[in-house]
């Protein structure tokens, strides 16, 4: 059973459909593993075994009916704890939100459940998601499953640790500046930051219907790219409650057509040195793609420093102002990491609308504003 915890969604789904394992047996195995490893990893914020077992019984009953099964029937998944799940806390890593209990689930939670998934629990984040280290004063630090002394990354660190440790077959994170990609990298799993508008952020905190939604998105995380693709296909699509979503279809691209895509290997010297191991890994990946028939091109991204300045304007200078009023006078309850973020992002006065609009222009128009 231990090897099953690291199986792909497709592999486990096939076992369920072949009735070699029932959703109840699979869930019980997952819950036992969570009970054994949660004290070491601290990946979870909330668990609901009773609700999960009820869902597993329903999935098992669905098998006995010999009717078409939903794509995720009986698969245990997890959710980053900044997404609303009705009746479960949505603290987003903060003491200030410890009693925040939504009455309605996020759109992506409803879509996963409609696809047959069993939502086991929610996973840890830094306070208000604003750090690359998953630690907070409410639920503490999440460790890296490969080395407990190391960081799982952030802000989707609890999700990445749970998936990497075989406590979840996949799940949902969110990303405005690396919050899916960094912990996925740290923990050795796969994660996707999709194009804004592809997956609804309804029920996410911070809300996506403001400047956060311009750079912050909801995205899938799993141990394989194939699983990420499957989750994306289920999550993607417009939502009436999220005005930023678009009705864009998911295209099926053949292997031959994909090989006509130009793949760039970025020269990152403009943003700082990389370790020899990182450079070797990227070079090796490029060679493997080239051997598979893809066209590989080295390239440089000009004015990248200006793009980083623009990103910090939104992620730091502007978004920090969205928190300023809510945390004023409550500094003693905030985590040190979040206090550092607010101090780094502090501005002398609020950003005037004209300056905000000016800095929102396309990057090739930024020169007059000295970004």
């Amino acid at each position: 059973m231990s090897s099953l915890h690291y199986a792909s969604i497709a592999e486990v789904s096939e076992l369920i459909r072949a009735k070699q394992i029932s959703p109840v047996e699979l869930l019980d195995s997952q819950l036992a593993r969570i009970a054994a490893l949660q004290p070491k990893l601290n990946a979870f914020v909330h668990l609901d075994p009773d609700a999960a077992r009820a869902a597993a019984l329903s999935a098992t009953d669905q098998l006995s009916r010999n009717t078409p099964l939903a794509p995720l029937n009986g698969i245990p998944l997890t959710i980053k704890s900044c997404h609303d799940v009705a009746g479960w806390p949505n603290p987003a890593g903060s003491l200030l939100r410890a009693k925040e209990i939504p009455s309605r689930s996020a759109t992506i939670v409803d879509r996963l459940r409609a696809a047959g998934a069993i939502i086991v629990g929610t996973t840890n984040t830094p306070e208000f998601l604003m750090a690359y280290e998953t630690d907070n004063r409410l639920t503490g630090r999440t460790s890296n499953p490969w080395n407990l002394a190391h960081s799982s990354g952030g802000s989707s660190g609890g999700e990445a640790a749970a998936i990497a440790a075989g406590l979840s077959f996949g799940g949902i994170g969110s990303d405005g500046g690396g919050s899916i990609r960094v912990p996925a990298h740290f923990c050795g799993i796969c994660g996707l930051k999709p194009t804004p508008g592809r997956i609804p952020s309804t029920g996410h905190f911070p809300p996506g219907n403001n400047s956060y939604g311009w750079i912050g998105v909801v995205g899938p995380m799993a141990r394989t790219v194939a699983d990420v693709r499957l989750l994306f296909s289920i999550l993607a699509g417009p939502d009436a409650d999220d005005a930023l979503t678009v009705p864009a279809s998911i295209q099926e691209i053949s292997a031959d057509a994909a090989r006509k895509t130009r793949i760039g290997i970025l020269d990152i010297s403009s943003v700082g040195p990389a370790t020899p191991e990182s450079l070797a890994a990227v070079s090796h990946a490029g060679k493997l793609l080239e051997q598979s028939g893809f066209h590989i091109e080295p390239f440089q991204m000009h004015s990248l420093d200006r793009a980083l300045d623009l990103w910090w304007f939104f992620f730091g200078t502007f978004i920090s102002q969205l928190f300023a009023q809510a945390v004023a006078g409550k500094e003693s309850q905030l985590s040190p990491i979040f206090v550092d973020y607010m101090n780094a992002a502090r501005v002398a006065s609020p950003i005037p609308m004209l300056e905000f609009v000016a800095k929102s222009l396309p990057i090739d128009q930024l020169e007059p504003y000295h970004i």
Side-chain angles (χ1 to χ4, degrees):
M1 184 67 75
S2 61
S3 62
L4 186 63
H5 298 299
Y6 295 104
S8 69
I9 291 175
E11 290 168 338
V12 175
S13 181
E14 181 59 32
L15 291 175
I16 290 174
R17 292 167 188 270
K19 299 183 180 180
Q20 295 181 25
I21 187 172
S22 75
V24 172
E25 292 171 327
L26 180 62
L27 175 65
D28 284 344
S29 175
Q30 290 295 108
L31 291 175
R33 186 170 179 82
I34 291 170
L37 295 184
Q38 170 65 5
K40 300 177 182 179
L41 292 177
N42 192 36
F44 286 87
V45 168
H46 182 79
L47 288 165
D48 193 336
D50 291 339
R53 285 196 176 95
L57 284 169
S58 177
T60 302
D61 181 61
Q62 190 69 29
L63 278 170
S64 66
R65 297 179 184 178
N66 293 317
T67 57
L69 296 177
L72 296 175
N73 188 71
I75 305 295
L77 300 178
T78 44
I79 304 289
K80 185 179 180 181
S81 63
C82 56
H83 293 93
D84 287 346
V85 181
W88 294 3
N90 177 346
S94 180
L95 286 169
L96 304 184
R97 289 179 55 85
K99 297 181 180 179
E100 189 71 28
I101 309 291
S103 59
R104 176 184 174 187
S105 292
T107 299
I108 52 101
V109 173
D110 290 339
R111 288 182 179 178
L112 289 178
R113 283 176 167 164
I118 298 171
I119 309 300
V120 178
T122 58
T123 52
N124 203 20
T125 74
E127 186 160 26
F128 298 137
L129 320 186
M130 294 297 157
Y132 292 122
E133 162 76 5
T134 295
D135 193 1
N136 59 68
R137 296 189 61 193
L138 178 65
T139 49
R141 177 180 183 270
T142 297
S143 295
N144 191 305
W146 299 99
N147 186 327
L148 298 180
H150 290 183
S151 171
S152 63
S155 64
S156 307
E159 194 65 27
I163 295 168
L167 309 183
S168 169
F169 289 99
I172 307 301
S174 55
D175 189 320
S179 286
I180 285 175
R181 294 160 291 166
V182 169
H185 166 64
F186 280 22
C187 295
I189 64 166
C190 304
L192 173 68
K193 181 185 181 183
T195 302
R198 293 294 264 160
I199 296 176
S201 62
T202 310
H204 179 277
F205 182 87
N209 58 352
N210 53 39
S211 61
Y212 177 83
W214 294 12
I215 59 172
V217 299
V218 173
M221 304 175 71
R223 283 188 294 272
T224 71
V225 173
D227 286 351
V228 167
R229 185 182 189 280
L230 172 62
L231 293 174
F232 175 78
S233 69
I234 292 166
L235 299 169
D239 175 21
D241 291 328
D242 185 346
L244 297 180
T245 53
V246 294
S249 61
I250 299 175
Q251 294 183 332
E252 296 291 336
I253 301 176
S254 68
D256 288 340
R259 289 189 178 92
K260 296 178 182 179
T261 303
R262 295 160 60 208
I263 298 176
I265 303 294
L266 176 62
D267 176 359
I268 61 169
S269 58
S270 60
V271 293
T275 64
E277 293 86 354
S278 296
L279 293 172
V282 171
S283 175
H284 180 62
K287 289 177 181 177
L288 289 176
L289 288 168
E290 201 165 34
Q291 291 168 8
S292 297
F294 291 91
H295 181 64
I296 307 299
E297 293 182 21
F299 77 99
Q300 292 185 334
M301 188 176 289
H302 301 290
S303 301
L304 186 56
D305 54 337
R306 295 165 63 205
L308 293 174
D309 286 342
L310 181 61
W311 170 80
W312 178 246
F313 171 76
F314 285 105
F315 192 83
T317 306
F318 191 79
I319 291 179
S320 66
Q321 294 186 48
L322 302 178
F323 293 115
Q325 185 174 356
V327 304
K330 303 172 184 176
E331 287 79 6
S332 63
Q333 299 180 62
L334 301 175
S335 63
I337 295 176
F338 186 73
V339 172
D340 287 346
Y341 161 75
M342 292 296 287
N343 288 337
R346 181 181 290 120
V347 291
S349 59
I351 302 295
M353 180 56 68
L354 287 178
E355 183 179 353
F356 175 81
V357 172
K359 293 187 178 184
S360 302
L361 291 172
I363 195 165
D364 61 358
Q365 301 180 33
L366 289 177
E367 191 61 32
Y369 303 99
H370 306 293
I371 299 302

